[in-house]
Amino acid sequence: MTTRPTTSIPDAAPAENRRIAALRQAAQDKHKQAVQRAEAGIRQLVKAGEEINFRAVARAAGVSLDFLYAHTDLRKRIETLRGQQRADSQPCRQEPSAEDGTVIYSLTEALRRERTAHRERVQELEQRLAAAQGEILRLQRQLREHGLESR
């Protein structure tokens, strides 16, 4: 019976586990830094009064669009800020009132009256056109009944 000499091979598992843990930690650190850059980019855009959207934040923060869309908290924040900006940018339209006594009120009222008159005129013309088309159809039927064809 021969015995093999046992050689001590260092156990590779603990070293591999340490490398995996180090890689995981590096990935987490990289992710955390990207989130911080994105948040700083958002603050920078808000402070500068610039438009908030995914492309602007990605450019300001040096992160990818995919990263921003995939990160739920950042995505919601950007969408909220973008919605607020859109709501703020739409001016509240205030109708001129008679109390203003302005030229704008007078012109607005004149324009409103003109539009109403035009709408009424168009309706009248549409009714007359429909009546004329009906008369044409009636006359064409009469021609066909008498054996004459219309061109």
Side-chain angles (χ1 to χ4, degrees):
M1 208 188 216
T2 57
T3 59
R4 290 181 146 168
T6 57
T7 57
S8 74
I9 300 175
D11 197 25
E16 187 177 323
N17 288 340
R18 282 194 306 272
R19 283 192 298 269
I20 291 171
L23 287 171
R24 281 192 181 130
Q25 186 61 45
Q28 288 174 353
D29 291 344
K30 186 177 177 182
H31 180 79
K32 197 179 297 184
Q33 290 170 356
V35 169
Q36 290 171 349
R37 285 195 321 270
E39 290 173 348
I42 292 171
R43 284 192 301 274
Q44 174 188 351
L45 292 170
V46 169
K47 188 175 181 180
E50 295 183 32
E51 184 179 358
I52 306 293
N53 58 47
F54 286 94
R55 288 196 186 282
V57 172
R59 209 174 15 256
V63 296
S64 71
L65 287 171
D66 290 338
F67 175 79
L68 294 175
Y69 282 113
H71 197 281
T72 308
D73 294 336
L74 289 172
R75 182 179 187 159
K76 286 180 183 175
R77 187 164 172 211
I78 292 168
E79 288 172 344
T80 300
L81 289 170
R82 181 177 60 187
Q84 289 173 353
Q85 278 186 334
R86 286 184 180 160
D88 291 344
S89 68
Q90 294 179 356
C92 295
R93 190 172 161 188
Q94 183 178 354
E95 290 291 323
S97 64
E99 293 87 38
D100 293 341
T102 64
V103 172
I104 294 174
Y105 176 74
S106 301
L107 292 174
T108 303
E109 283 303 309
L111 182 62
R112 192 171 291 136
R113 286 190 301 273
E114 287 290 322
R115 284 182 180 160
T116 303
H118 283 289
R119 274 191 218 107
E120 291 170 356
R121 178 74 174 142
V122 166
Q123 285 177 346
E124 177 193 344
L125 290 172
E126 286 174 344
Q127 289 172 351
R128 291 174 64 186
L129 177 63
Q133 288 173 334
E135 182 65 15
I136 289 171
L137 289 174
R138 186 185 68 76
L139 292 171
Q140 285 176 338
R141 270 189 240 117
Q142 280 183 348
L143 285 173
R144 270 184 263 143
E145 287 173 6
H146 292 8
L148 299 172
E149 297 228 3
S150 66
R151 289 188 180 187

